[in-house]
Amino acid sequence: MSYPKTGQEVYVSLNLSNTMLTGIGKGTITREEVSVDYLKKLFGKYGVIVSAKPEQARLLQIVNETFDLGLEVPQELKLFQLSEQHRRLVVINVQGLRRKGGSLLPEYTEEEFNEATFTFVKYYVQSRHYDDLVEENKKLKYDLDQELEWRHRTDN
């Protein structure tokens, strides 16, 4: 499966770190668990850039074999920061694998891989901050209330 190069690719990673978020200014981040079908459509529209360590290649291969995502298995770690152009990050959550200090290990047995389960979480950076949206919503509600009051007034 080949995904397009759009300049607005979706980042995919096996973890989330603060350094990924330093490329954005004041904004709001939404988080939602998404389906594989949704991801295929998202990647097909925007493209995808995978950020993973070389030792995680087998894990990505298993994700590809299991879910037919066609993710590129990078030869080296590609670091990134979310930004105005690249607002989407999909984190592949892996459950059932041993960890050390909260991090995935460099190697697992095939039996361990067979026990792993996967979910996908999309993070999306909105360029407008939640507080600004709340204020705008208050103003719109006030304006609407004023309009309704004007239309429903009774003339004496």
Side-chain angles (χ1 to χ4, degrees):
M1 192 173 301
S2 180
Y3 295 113
K5 302 286 184 210
T6 64
Q8 296 181 335
E9 284 83 356
V10 178
Y11 289 115
V12 172
S13 183
L14 290 162
N15 66 348
L16 175 65
S17 71
N18 281 333
T19 57
M20 296 173 180
L21 306 175
T22 58
I24 57 174
K26 184 177 180 181
T28 299
I29 300 173
T30 57
R31 177 193 181 280
E32 68 178 310
E33 199 164 307
V34 295
S35 70
V36 172
D37 289 337
Y38 174 87
L39 288 179
K40 289 177 181 180
K41 290 176 189 168
L42 187 69
F43 298 161
K45 182 175 182 179
Y46 295 103
V48 63
I49 297 172
V50 177
S51 174
K53 297 174 184 171
E55 59 264 23
Q56 295 170 326
R58 180 67 184 127
L59 197 52
L60 285 172
Q61 288 171 342
I62 290 170
V63 169
N64 281 336
E65 291 166 7
T66 305
F67 302 103
D68 191 33
L69 282 175
L71 297 174
E72 175 187 331
V73 179
Q75 299 299 314
E76 60 185 40
L77 178 62
K78 296 176 185 174
L79 298 176
F80 67 87
Q81 293 178 337
L82 295 177
S83 65
E84 285 300 308
Q85 286 181 306
H86 300 282
R87 298 172 176 225
R88 293 168 187 85
L89 164 65
V90 172
V91 175
I92 302 171
N93 285 329
V94 184
Q95 301 295 319
L97 291 179
R98 291 179 295 121
R99 295 171 188 263
K100 184 174 182 178
S103 296
L104 293 169
L105 301 176
E107 291 184 16
Y108 294 98
T109 65
E110 284 303 311
E111 185 177 302
E112 288 175 307
F113 279 133
N114 291 336
E115 297 294 318
T117 59
F118 302 90
T119 56
F120 304 92
V121 177
K122 181 186 84 171
Y123 294 84
Y124 179 75
V125 179
Q126 296 178 9
S127 59
R128 298 181 65 202
H129 192 272
Y130 176 79
D131 295 342
D132 297 335
L133 294 171
V134 167
E135 286 304 313
E136 182 179 329
N137 195 32
K138 282 181 187 176
K139 182 184 180 323
L140 290 170
K141 184 176 180 340
Y142 175 80
D143 291 347
L144 178 61
D145 288 345
Q146 294 299 309
E147 179 71 22
L148 290 173
E149 189 177 303
W150 172 257
R151 288 178 186 239
H152 294 102
R153 72 184 188 291
T154 54
D155 292 322
N156 292 335

